[in-house]
Amino acid sequence: LAKTTQPISMDSYEGQEVNITCSHNNIATNDYITWYQQFPSQGPRFIIQGYKTKVTNEVASLFIPADRKSSTLSLPRVSLSDTAVYYCLVGQGDTGRRALTFGSGTRLQVQP
Amino acid sequence: EAQVTQNPRYLITVTGKKLTVTCSQNMNHEYMSWYRQDPGLGLRQIYYSMNVEVTDKGDVPEGYKVSRKEKRNFPLILESPSPNQTSLYFCASSLRGVEANVLTFGAGSRLTVL
């Protein structure tokens, strides 16, 4: 199983772009990279998923280099409501054992 | 509304008193799993199920049991709870295929074992 490493915490200000990087050096060929957002006392919520290159949706972008050993979640123009913990998850989409291991997450604090 | 429902949301119990935390999903998802979350330790998987009657251990299965008799339900059973099982528990489900890692989580069940 791919182990992930993320910064413990990050600080930003409203309106700035925030980039959170996740390291996953032993990612397997059929692993997908998925990011979640979690507010206190709530369940994590899916943000974005990718396999390679760049993926963009209405809330974020995900950048994955060619070697796939890391990925970067980009949040454009953050607001106070983006203050949360962000988790990177790397796992085998639908093949083999489906034990999924989350990292410790990155606590993002957005200041006014 | 598509959702994962957990009950109870809050529970205080005593050591050794068996309890069950229920989890139900209405999205016809094949995959279901349980996680516990403790301060500084992130989310740790307890058990998961690929489909009905198919369950397997996650990273921290000791002290827990699960069953998957129906596709929509995946209860977590603590046969003899101990204080070190005091935690916030989450149930999650997903489809198979490309969306397999796109998990829908429940709201959580906060358990305190005295």
Side-chain angles (χ1 to χ4, degrees):
Chain A
L1 295 173
K3 176 177 166 56
T4 60
T5 303
Q6 304 174 231
I8 294 174
S9 64
M10 296 181 69
D11 292 310
S12 183
Y13 292 95
E14 282 192 293
Q16 290 189 332
E17 178 184 74
V18 170
N19 295 310
I20 305 174
T21 298
C22 179
S23 173
H24 27 81
N25 290 321
N26 59 338
I27 188 169
T29 301
N30 49 3
D31 280 346
Y32 283 79
I33 300 158
T34 315
W35 285 80
Y36 290 83
Q37 176 191 58
Q38 186 180 27
F39 298 112
S41 298
Q42 294 186 25
R45 183 174 69 101
F46 168 79
I47 301 175
I48 196 167
Q49 177 175 273
Y51 182 79
K52 61 180 178 180
T53 64
K54 176 184 174 181
V55 179
T56 297
N57 62 22
E58 63 275 7
V59 298
S61 294
L62 178 58
F63 298 92
I64 305 169
D67 66 6
R68 303 199 329 123
K69 292 184 184 300
S70 67
S71 58
T72 299
L73 174 72
S74 181
L75 304 173
R77 298 179 298 282
V78 294
S79 64
L80 295 176
S81 63
D82 292 316
T83 293
V85 178
Y86 293 82
Y87 291 95
C88 163
L89 173 67
V90 176
Q92 297 178 341
D94 190 35
T95 60
R97 191 162 174 264
R98 282 293 312 284
L100 297 176
T101 301
F102 285 80
S104 298
T106 298
R107 186 174 300 276
L108 173 65
Q109 180 70 49
V110 180
Q111 308 278 4
Chain B
E1 179 188 354
Q3 61 185 355
V4 175
T5 303
Q6 298 179 223
N7 281 295
R9 293 289 314 282
Y10 303 91
L11 178 64
I12 300 174
T13 189
V14 295
T15 299
K17 186 175 181 181
K18 180 180 178 179
L19 68 91
T20 299
V21 185
T22 64
C23 174
S24 180
Q25 49 93 6
N26 62 0
M27 296 166 283
N28 201 36
H29 285 173
E30 290 89 352
Y31 179 84
M32 297 186 74
S33 59
W34 276 102
Y35 298 84
R36 61 177 289 173
Q37 187 170 41
D38 303 291
L41 295 178
L43 287 154
R44 294 182 292 168
Q45 190 178 53
I46 303 171
Y47 269 94
Y48 65 95
S49 169
M50 298 288 286
N51 215 322
V52 175
E53 303 292 359
V54 180
T55 63
D56 206 348
K57 298 177 180 178
D59 294 325
V60 289
E62 294 77 20
Y64 304 94
K65 286 176 57 177
V66 292
S67 67
R68 187 90 182 273
K69 294 184 171 58
E70 305 166 284
K71 194 172 187 178
R72 64 182 293 130
N73 296 322
F74 190 45
L76 179 69
I77 303 158
L78 287 73
E79 292 272 2
S80 183
S82 62
N84 65 11
Q85 292 178 297
T86 292
S87 187
L88 179 59
Y89 291 87
F90 290 102
C91 180
S93 70
S94 72
L95 291 167
R96 300 191 66 168
V98 176
E99 301 294 313
N101 288 348
V102 180
L103 299 163
T104 300
F105 282 83
S109 297
R110 187 170 294 280
L111 170 65
T112 301
V113 183
L114 302 175

